[in-house]
Amino acid sequence: MTKAKQQELLRSKPHAKPGPEVELVGDPRVGARIKRVERGQRELIGRTLDELLPREHLARDVWRVIERLDLSALYARIQARGSNAGASAVDPRITLCLWVYAMLDGEGSSHEVSRLCESDAAYRWMRGGVSVRQRHLSNFRARSGELFLELSTQIVAVLLKLGLCDLVRVAQDGTRVRASAGAASFRREETLLKLRDEAKAHLEKVLEDADDPSLTRVRRAARERGAREKLERIEAALRELPKAAATKKKEPAKEPRVSTTDPEARVMKMGDGGFRPAYNVQFATTCDDARVIAGVTVTNSGTDNAEAVPMVAELDRRYDLKPAELLVDGGYAGHDTLEKLAPDTVVYAPLKKARPDQRPQAEPRSTDSDVVAEWRRRMQTDDAKETYKERAATAETVNADAKTHRALDHVPIRGLHKALGLAGLFALSYNILRVVSLAHRGA
């Protein structure tokens, strides 16, 4: 059919007559046919919490794994026993499951987890009708850092016993995680001394005003607590100054500065090239099918050149076993590190690229020890290059997962010990996820 015939056919086709136009007078809502809300109608929803959650939901898997862990250290902290006064404690298994699932869900805020406990089906299922407050969640995470690491060790130990993973070959990598401190909070010694004097004077003033009848008991306690904590942070910053000065070997003329917000944080070069207060979080991951995190360390050092030896020592302490092979990048492969780890651990690290005016790194030096010379020869072989490829598929993916999907892009709590606890919570959550994956694969 030609275009002219199509147009003629459309013109000859009868059209529906439009309805009569309504002349609007006054309020346009009057006479309009609309569906209005009826919130007063009663509805009966007869479903249990167990029925709200699908049978194959991840929250159920997390609960099943944690049920099999030894949580006796958590239960030992409970003071509500027998006829002792006080309310019953929240089952530690509930709080631990909430935090593990929240980490897997990419949520690291105790405020948000508390909100989700009221609105999200998975969180409601895990708490099972038990009220869990935000302060309880926050305190539990702050106090349980070492426990998170121990529980993660339990999981790896079981997998080792079952032959599902091994520590023959381990890959290590680190990532800088933003600390909870502003760049403007870093002060030099002279300023810190002035701030300490001001904080002491403020605390004395607060104590003098303790008898002010216009202040409530809660308000007086809050003011005193805030004044004491501020003074403690400034004094902690002064104690950290010598440690910060020890890292300024290349720039001795610059006075060290320490944060009054988080004294143990250090300004580091981040992945985007900028400089911000951060912690150096290190993970050691097995290079087998299990691909679990076997070791965790956290430091405030801005470089990785001294981090391999402490990691191997941590693995030896937790499992009484040193890895036979350690895969790291070039920043870890200092000559001292290679010699300290030999002969128990063979290090696979790439040779650095030489500048145009330097000899190739593959060439031996007269100052090389036997261990360093062997490392140079080893890394030129095809087998060593093929082995080193496993590092990118293990350690680097763990760091990417932590910062992209598991809320470990910053440390919301302050202090080196608490930062280690947060990294331990991620390691525990990640290992539980790996166990679930292995179980589903086996099924």
Side-chain angles (χ1 to χ4, degrees):
M1 184 182 294
T2 63
K3 185 175 181 181
K5 288 185 177 182
Q6 288 179 353
Q7 292 178 350
E8 182 180 354
L9 180 62
L10 289 174
R11 285 195 297 268
S12 63
K13 193 173 182 180
H15 293 280
K17 293 182 179 180
E21 295 185 2
V22 179
E23 184 178 355
L24 297 179
V25 179
D27 191 346
R29 292 173 295 181
V30 176
R33 295 194 305 272
I34 58 176
K35 295 180 179 180
R36 301 182 184 275
V37 297
E38 284 289 346
R39 297 192 179 97
Q41 294 183 6
R42 296 185 181 274
E43 294 182 359
L44 180 61
I45 304 176
R47 300 177 67 187
T48 65
L49 288 173
D50 205 43
E51 292 171 338
L52 287 174
L53 200 67
R55 288 296 170 186
E56 301 301 324
H57 199 281
L58 178 60
R60 294 180 183 271
D61 293 324
V62 169
W63 184 273
R64 281 192 288 266
V65 174
I66 290 180
E67 269 191 323
R68 289 165 172 76
L69 297 178
D70 181 9
L71 304 181
S72 55
L74 275 175
Y75 286 98
R77 299 194 314 204
I78 297 176
Q79 297 179 352
R81 299 182 180 277
S83 59
N84 291 354
S88 299
V90 177
D91 187 345
R93 185 186 292 110
I94 296 175
T95 318
L96 179 61
C97 284
L98 287 172
W99 269 123
V100 168
Y101 183 76
M103 182 65 72
L104 295 178
D105 199 29
E107 187 52 64
S109 166
S110 58
H111 288 278
E112 184 64 16
V113 174
S114 177
R115 187 191 67 80
L116 290 170
C117 283
E118 301 296 329
S119 61
D120 188 274
Y123 292 85
R124 290 175 60 201
W125 180 86
M126 279 186 287
R127 68 180 181 87
V130 177
S131 177
V132 182
R133 297 182 302 166
Q134 180 270 329
R135 183 177 293 276
H136 172 76
L137 289 165
S138 179
N139 291 341
F140 181 90
R141 181 178 60 180
R143 295 178 55 200
S144 306
E146 183 59 34
L147 178 72
F148 296 146
L149 294 170
E150 290 296 334
L151 294 177
S152 180
T153 301
Q154 282 187 35
I155 293 176
V156 178
V158 170
L159 294 177
L160 287 170
K161 186 176 181 179
L162 295 176
L164 297 176
C165 78
D166 59 63
L167 292 180
V168 175
R169 182 175 295 166
V170 172
Q172 179 181 352
D173 195 22
T175 182
R176 277 62 164 171
V177 182
R178 181 71 161 87
S180 183
S185 66
F186 283 75
R187 306 299 179 88
R188 296 181 177 86
E189 183 177 13
E190 182 180 357
T191 305
L192 288 174
L193 291 173
K194 292 180 180 178
L195 291 175
R196 184 181 63 178
D197 294 339
E198 293 174 2
K200 285 182 177 180
H202 176 63
L203 177 59
E204 292 175 358
K205 181 68 168 57
V206 168
L207 294 176
E208 290 175 1
D209 295 341
D211 297 331
D212 188 347
S214 64
L215 297 175
T216 64
R217 180 180 59 84
V218 174
R219 179 61 177 164
R220 284 196 298 269
R223 291 184 65 192
E224 182 177 345
R225 182 177 63 252
R228 291 188 184 279
E229 289 177 353
K230 183 176 181 179
L231 178 59
E232 289 171 0
R233 288 196 301 270
I234 295 174
E235 290 178 340
L238 285 167
R239 290 193 298 269
E240 286 290 320
L241 273 174
K243 300 177 185 178
T247 63
K248 294 245 179 227
K249 295 179 181 179
K250 294 183 179 180
E251 300 174 308
K254 288 190 176 182
E255 292 185 50
R257 298 189 303 165
V258 178
S259 171
T260 56
T261 305
D262 189 351
E264 292 182 304
R266 297 289 184 271
V267 176
M268 302 180 186
K269 187 174 183 179
M270 308 297 282
D272 60 1
F275 290 83
R276 289 182 287 277
Y279 286 105
N280 188 348
V281 180
Q282 300 281 327
F283 295 116
T285 312
T286 61
C287 295
D288 45 38
D289 290 339
R291 207 175 74 226
V292 291
I293 298 174
V296 181
T297 60
V298 178
T299 70
N300 53 14
S301 173
T303 62
D304 296 329
N305 56 11
E307 301 303 326
V309 175
M311 180 61 77
V312 172
E314 176 71 3
L315 295 173
D316 189 27
R317 182 179 72 87
R318 291 195 175 275
Y319 309 103
D320 196 22
L321 188 66
K322 294 181 180 180
E325 299 174 347
L326 182 67
L327 279 56
V328 293
D329 65 27
Y332 293 80
H335 293 183
D336 291 342
T337 297
L338 298 173
E339 293 173 1
K340 287 178 181 178
L341 294 180
D344 298 315
T345 302
V346 177
V347 177
Y348 287 82
L351 298 169
K352 296 180 180 179
K353 293 183 179 180
R355 295 195 301 268
D357 58 336
Q358 288 182 326
R359 285 190 300 170
Q361 291 292 319
E363 292 185 9
R365 271 68 166 168
S366 58
T367 56
D368 285 349
S369 64
D370 293 340
V371 173
V372 175
E374 174 59 27
W375 166 66
R376 293 188 194 275
R377 289 192 296 268
R378 178 171 60 252
M379 294 311 300
Q380 297 180 68
T381 65
D382 293 337
D383 289 343
K385 293 176 182 178
E386 193 66 25
T387 297
Y388 184 73
K389 290 180 181 178
E390 296 185 23
R391 177 183 169 276
T394 52
E396 291 187 2
T397 58
V398 168
N399 285 346
D401 184 84
K403 302 188 80 170
T404 306
H405 304 294
R406 314 301 175 196
L408 201 64
D409 56 340
H410 71 288
V411 181
I413 46 184
R414 294 163 183 166
L416 192 60
H417 182 71
K418 291 181 180 179
L420 176 61
L422 185 64
L425 175 59
F426 165 73
L428 172 62
S429 306
Y430 185 87
N431 288 347
I432 288 177
L433 190 62
R434 295 302 304 156
V435 168
V436 171
S437 176
L438 291 171
H440 287 176
R441 192 185 308 173

